Amino acid sequence: MKADSNLIISASGVRGIVGLGLTPQVVTKIVLAFGKMMGGKILLGYDTRTSNEMFKYAALSALLSTGCEAVDLGICPTPSLQLMVKDQQASGGIVITGSHNPPEWNALKFVRSDGLFLFPEQVNRLIDLYQATNVKTSAWDRLGKVFRDDSAIWHHIKRIMQLVDVEKIKSRKFKVAIDANNGAGSFATPLLLQELGCSVVKVNCQAKGEFAHLPEPVPANLQGLSSVVKEVEADIGFAHDADADRLALVSERGEALSEEYTLMIACDFILQTKRGPVVTNVSTSRAIDDIAARFDCPVIRTPVGDIHVSKCMQASGAVIGGEGNGGVIFPPLNYARDGIMAAALILNHLANEDTSLSSIVNKLPRYCMLKQKVKNLEIDFEKLKQSLCCEFSSDELDFTDGVQILFPEGWVHIRASGTEPLVRVIAEAKDKKTAEDFSRLALDKIFIFKK
Ligand code: MG
């Protein structure tokens, strides 16, 4: 849902370009609404973006004015904050992070008392409060207080270590290169790796405001990490986005893997010991279905967005889930995408199999996925759906999120991004030529129904 130009308000949070859509005034107003809605103890964390100092004080001021107890966790990965909110039984949390968006963007993510993001109906209530002009602030004798707590990262690491075979991982003495892109994962992941007995090679772990490359952990942005992995002969390379809820992998050969592989490998590991449903979104590779089928486990598909996946995982009793963008959700820790937990799971799998990442990848199903973004485009989805219903049978169409056309050889998915002003076209098939054909077909369609 768009509130005004350069500001996007959706189930994923409130996002905008700093100084245009997202200003201290907007942050104050939305946090005021959140403080009123939740009350009590609210944890605040942030990534390393240059605008975060400014937004932090705006958010703290708004929380104090609503009488909340505001706890400043400092630079903190999103999954670390989500876990702290749950484990400390706080009323809620706020993360100031533009996540995978380019540096000119920033955003606020809002967390419930159970560590999940706000449900869509709660986001609607928050927007109503945000848009109301008469939100009252507290009188002088009812103002809140600010506290500082630097324990979130260690708490997260200790909880992760209770869920993996630490001795087994230590016995492999892995050499790991980690590229946190100077984001919120700059401290947490190197510390976890040290605790797991790894020799750690830090790449862009300075937690400073300037990113070393674009924040999305896709192969095109991981060439620097690939070179380091080869140069130091590391067993594996890990890369995060700016708030470390995603993880991408580089093999010991220096090959930057598609971010789709992170969830595939996590599923391959977890399903070996625990059978149950796997939940992922409709845009994630069908390799997940193939892997789950090997263990006779069902796959449930949801709309794109971690809150949809988390909710469905809770309801279905899923054993593992997440999204193809490198976001793994492991229920024994929390129903949150967690790039740091994912790193520990991947190392545990490598240790158990006593093999290299490349040989694990070689045993996984092979698909070709093409992900395209069409910027500054709005399309009339209702008209597009009507047209497709005339052309394809109901079995060949899925409207769970945007439009997906299903073919015997693969699929193509068209949806408006919830985090950026663009349309995403994702096509997957067993071979590149077929995926390109699906992609072309979708691109032709969307320009017909351009608004
Ligand atoms: Mg993120």
Side-chain angles (χ1 to χ4, degrees), residues 161 164-174 195-197 348 351-352:
M161 289 181 61
V164 292
D165 189 340
V166 174
E167 292 312 313
K168 189 112 194 176
I169 297 171
K170 278 185 175 172
S171 72
R172 278 286 304 268
K173 297 186 170 66
F174 288 115
E195 292 298 304
L196 293 174
N348 204 158
N352 280 4

Coordinates of all heavy atoms in Angstrom, one line a residue, residues 161 164-174 195-197 348 351-352:
M161 N 23.7 -21.9 19.4 CA 24.7 -23.0 19.7 C 24.0 -24.1 20.5 O 24.5 -25.2 20.5 CB 25.9 -22.4 20.5 CG 26.7 -21.6 19.6 SD 28.2 -20.9 20.3 CE 29.1 -22.3 20.8
V164 N 22.6 -26.6 17.5 CA 23.5 -27.3 16.5 C 24.5 -28.2 17.2 O 24.7 -28.1 18.4 CB 24.2 -26.4 15.5 CG1 23.2 -25.7 14.6 CG2 25.0 -25.3 16.3
D165 N 25.1 -29.1 16.5 CA 26.1 -30.0 17.1 C 27.5 -29.3 17.1 O 28.3 -29.4 16.1 CB 26.2 -31.3 16.2 CG 27.0 -32.4 16.9 OD1 27.9 -32.0 17.7 OD2 26.9 -33.5 16.5
V166 N 27.7 -28.5 18.1 CA 28.9 -27.7 18.2 C 30.2 -28.5 18.1 O 31.1 -28.1 17.4 CB 28.9 -26.8 19.5 CG1 30.2 -26.1 19.7 CG2 27.7 -25.9 19.5
E167 N 30.3 -29.6 18.8 CA 31.5 -30.4 18.8 C 31.8 -30.9 17.4 O 33.0 -30.9 16.9 CB 31.4 -31.5 19.8 CG 31.4 -31.0 21.3 CD 32.5 -30.0 21.5 OE1 33.7 -30.2 21.1 OE2 32.2 -28.9 22.1
K168 N 30.8 -31.4 16.7 CA 30.9 -31.9 15.3 C 31.5 -30.8 14.4 O 32.4 -31.0 13.6 CB 29.6 -32.4 14.8 CG 29.6 -33.1 13.6 CD 29.3 -34.6 13.8 CE 29.7 -35.4 12.6 NZ 29.5 -36.8 12.8
I169 N 30.9 -29.6 14.5 CA 31.3 -28.5 13.7 C 32.7 -28.1 14.0 O 33.6 -27.9 13.1 CB 30.4 -27.2 13.9 CG1 28.9 -27.6 13.4 CG2 30.9 -26.1 13.1 CD1 27.9 -26.5 13.7
K170 N 33.0 -28.0 15.3 CA 34.4 -27.7 15.8 C 35.4 -28.6 15.2 O 36.5 -28.3 14.8 CB 34.5 -27.7 17.3 CG 34.0 -26.4 17.9 CD 34.3 -26.4 19.4 CE 33.9 -25.1 20.1 NZ 33.9 -25.2 21.6
S171 N 35.1 -29.9 15.2 CA 36.0 -31.0 14.7 C 36.4 -30.8 13.3 O 37.5 -31.3 12.9 CB 35.4 -32.4 14.9 OG 34.4 -32.6 14.0
R172 N 35.6 -30.1 12.5 CA 36.0 -29.9 11.1 C 37.0 -28.7 10.9 O 37.6 -28.6 9.8 CB 34.8 -29.6 10.2 CG 34.0 -30.9 9.8 CD 34.7 -31.7 8.7 NE 35.0 -30.9 7.5 CZ 34.3 -30.9 6.4 NH1 33.1 -31.5 6.4 NH2 34.6 -30.2 5.4
K173 N 37.1 -27.9 11.9 CA 38.0 -26.7 11.9 C 37.9 -25.9 10.5 O 38.8 -25.7 9.8 CB 39.5 -27.1 12.0 CG 39.8 -27.7 13.4 CD 41.3 -28.0 13.5 CE 41.7 -28.4 14.9 NZ 41.2 -29.7 15.4
F174 N 36.6 -25.6 10.2 CA 36.4 -24.9 9.0 C 37.1 -23.6 8.9 O 37.2 -22.8 9.9 CB 34.8 -24.6 8.9 CG 34.0 -25.8 8.6 CD1 33.0 -26.2 9.6 CD2 34.0 -26.5 7.5 CE1 32.2 -27.3 9.4 CE2 33.2 -27.6 7.3 CZ 32.3 -28.0 8.2
E195 N 33.1 -19.1 17.8 CA 32.6 -20.0 18.9 C 32.4 -21.4 18.3 O 32.4 -22.3 19.1 CB 31.2 -19.5 19.4 CG 31.3 -18.2 20.2 CD 32.2 -18.3 21.5 OE1 31.9 -19.2 22.3 OE2 33.1 -17.6 21.6
L196 N 32.2 -21.5 17.0 CA 32.1 -22.8 16.4 C 33.5 -23.4 15.9 O 33.5 -24.3 15.1 CB 31.1 -22.7 15.2 CG 29.6 -22.4 15.6 CD1 28.8 -22.2 14.4 CD2 29.1 -23.6 16.5
G197 N 34.5 -22.7 16.4 CA 35.9 -23.3 16.1 C 36.4 -23.0 14.7 O 37.3 -23.7 14.3
N348 N 26.7 -27.3 10.1 CA 26.4 -28.5 10.7 C 26.2 -29.6 9.7 O 26.6 -30.8 9.8 CB 25.1 -28.4 11.6 CG 25.0 -29.4 12.7 OD1 24.2 -29.2 13.7 ND2 25.6 -30.5 12.6
A351 N 29.5 -30.6 8.2 CA 30.2 -31.4 9.2 C 29.7 -32.8 9.2 O 30.4 -33.8 9.2 CB 30.2 -30.8 10.6
N352 N 28.4 -33.0 9.2 CA 27.7 -34.3 9.3 C 28.1 -35.1 8.0 O 28.3 -36.3 8.1 CB 26.2 -34.2 9.3 CG 25.7 -33.9 10.7 OD1 26.5 -33.7 11.6 ND2 24.4 -33.8 10.9

